[in-house]
Amino acid sequence: MKAHDGMYIGGAWRPAVGTDTITVLNPADEQPIGQVPAGTAEDIDAAVRAARDAFPAWAATPPAERGALIGALRDQLVARKDEIAETVTAELGSPLPFSQMVHAGVPILVSGSYAELAATYAFEEKIGNSTVYLEPVGVVGAITPWNYPLHQIVNKVAPALAAGCTVVLKPAEDTPLTAQLFAEAVHEAGIPAGVFNLVTGLGPVAGQALAEHEDVDLVSFTGSTAVGKQIGATAGAAVKRVALELGGKSANVILPSADLAKAVNVGVANVMSNSGQTCSAWTRMLVDSERYDEAVALASAAAVKYGSRIGPVVNAKQQARVRGYIDKGVEEGARVVAGGSEAPREQGYYVQPTVFADVTPEMTIAQEEIFGPVVSIIRYEDEDDALRIANGTVYGLAGAVWAADDAEAVAFARRMDTGQVDINGGSFNPLAPFGGYKQSGVGRELGPHGLAEYLQTKSLQF
């Protein structure tokens, strides 16, 4: 794992304009593992100019050729799979098996899907006496988070390249080493100079400069709702397109007919995955009154097993945030049945897997995104009450519904105000659109819907 001391701009590693750096820490032991440059507005400007210069030729490249190059990028990610997993584990703290399977494995799957979509997507159609063309938006500013560092990069860069756009990426400052590995893969894949550019740096400096740059045509951001609102306002003032994948407070609705043990155990596992640092995690578990106590006992027993399985959260600030929410839950009257706010280790940014019972829908821990390994179990009286609670937050990103048969679960899920719902433990689909209702965001990622975000429409009448 070697950190580059420059920016990847115009097909080469270049020195940064300034001299400030960002030290990357391993959250498991709080020790430094690398250093990257802290980019400035001048670095962002150079990257955007490189992307703008490369755009005409890349947009004119036949989609099948773009797809072949994305396929070559996928092959490079495959070749680097072990190094990617080790790097994510080092800078995020994710256990190595999870890094191998998810952090390295899923981006390979997604990039492969866009290699195929680029060659098969209908960029042109006939409607009556019109020919409609779907054309690339232009230069994309991609701002990505630390919780799934490579997955979120690929979710933006692969469809943008497939559409014919060029990209400037500003990754999260906590996980820039993974982004540098991706830039190496782009270079070795033979993607033309300037089509992809990387600037590491801080959000308020490099990220803001990218969002505000007049030559960026679309900003794609994944992160907090608060920052997403700022980016949306900035883009709105410039009449610039945005794609925002923001926060979540997803409901795991266990209907009375469901297999309770399975629903509870899968639900707890979902939240503990990636140390709870998943925007789509089912952090609110909704259980009917008759089986509530049984669900609490099952969830408590399940959470205890994760004490030695999950990694730390990403940094000291995040650790303090999650522990503060746990204290807030106790203060407002919720009951801790597993875990708690005390740090389980003296070193590293660890948080105990925590389960709350006696949570009411209006409590802070039932309304705000905690982004840690914390489950809130909420009682409901009937299905209408469950629906009211499920829809009773400002978010609408994901969720789950469990019932004796799929039809019953689907009927409930269709009434939920959320962008994606897993039915009875449905598996991940890299082609299904992912994104939220309400304050969980604008636009969709993955599959053909994710590709469409980077296209604009032109019609010619004959």
Side-chain angles (χ1 to χ4, degrees), residues 70 73 110-111 114-115 153-163 182 451:
I70 297 169
L73 172 59
V110 172
S111 57
Y114 280 113
I153 288 170
V154 169
N155 281 5
K156 299 180 188 306
V157 175
L161 298 189
F182 179 78
L451 177 55

Side-chain angles (χ1 to χ4, degrees), residues 27 92-94 103 146-148 270-281 311-315 318-319 322 349 369-373:
L92 181 62
S94 172
H103 288 295
W146 45 260
N147 61 324
Y148 288 90
N270 174 276
V271 177
M272 299 307 157
S273 174
N274 210 41
S275 301
Q277 299 169 127
T278 304
C279 54
S280 57
V313 295
V314 71
N315 55 36
Q318 187 65 17
Q319 182 191 43
V322 177
Y349 307 124
E369 185 176 44
I370 298 172
F371 226 59

Side-chain angles (χ1 to χ4, degrees), residues 219-238:
V219 179
S220 180
F221 169 79
T222 297
S224 72
T225 296
V227 175
K229 288 178 179 179
Q230 295 173 7
I231 289 174
T234 298

Side-chain angles (χ1 to χ4, degrees), residues 251-336:
N252 180 21
V253 183
I254 305 174
L255 295 176
S257 66
D259 180 334
L260 184 66
K262 181 178 180 181
V264 169
N265 284 308
V266 174
V268 170
N270 174 276
V271 177
M272 299 307 157
S273 174
N274 210 41
S275 301
Q277 299 169 127
T278 304
C279 54
S280 57
W282 312 331
T283 52
R284 295 181 298 146
M285 183 180 292
L286 277 55
V287 185
D288 62 283
S289 292
E290 289 189 10
R291 300 196 296 172
Y292 186 84
D293 291 341
E294 183 183 356
V296 169
L298 287 166
S300 175
V304 168
K305 298 175 183 177
Y306 286 92
S308 60
R309 297 182 191 175
I310 66 172
V313 295
V314 71
N315 55 36
K317 180 180 178 181
Q318 187 65 17
Q319 182 191 43
R321 169 188 168 89
V322 177
R323 293 172 68 187
Y325 271 113
I326 295 172
D327 287 338
K328 186 70 171 178
V330 173
E331 177 187 325
E332 293 184 355
R335 175 167 54 98
V336 174

Side-chain angles (χ1 to χ4, degrees), residues 37 41 52 55 62 77 82 168 177 191 197 236 243 250 268 272 289-290 292 337 354 363 405 411 458:
R52 177 57 64 193
F55 174 67
L77 297 180
D82 290 343
V168 176
L177 304 181
I191 290 173
N197 307 273
S250 301
V268 170
M272 299 307 157
S289 292
E290 289 189 10
Y292 186 84
V337 296
T354 299
M363 287 182 178
D405 62 78
K458 176 185 290 180

Side-chain angles (χ1 to χ4, degrees), residues 58 61-75 111-120 123 158 161-164 191:
W58 183 247
T61 300
E65 290 184 25
R66 298 198 297 258
L69 285 166
I70 297 169
L73 172 59
R74 174 202 173 275
D75 293 343
S111 57
S113 74
Y114 280 113
E116 296 178 9
L117 272 170
T120 59
F123 290 96
L161 298 189
I191 290 173

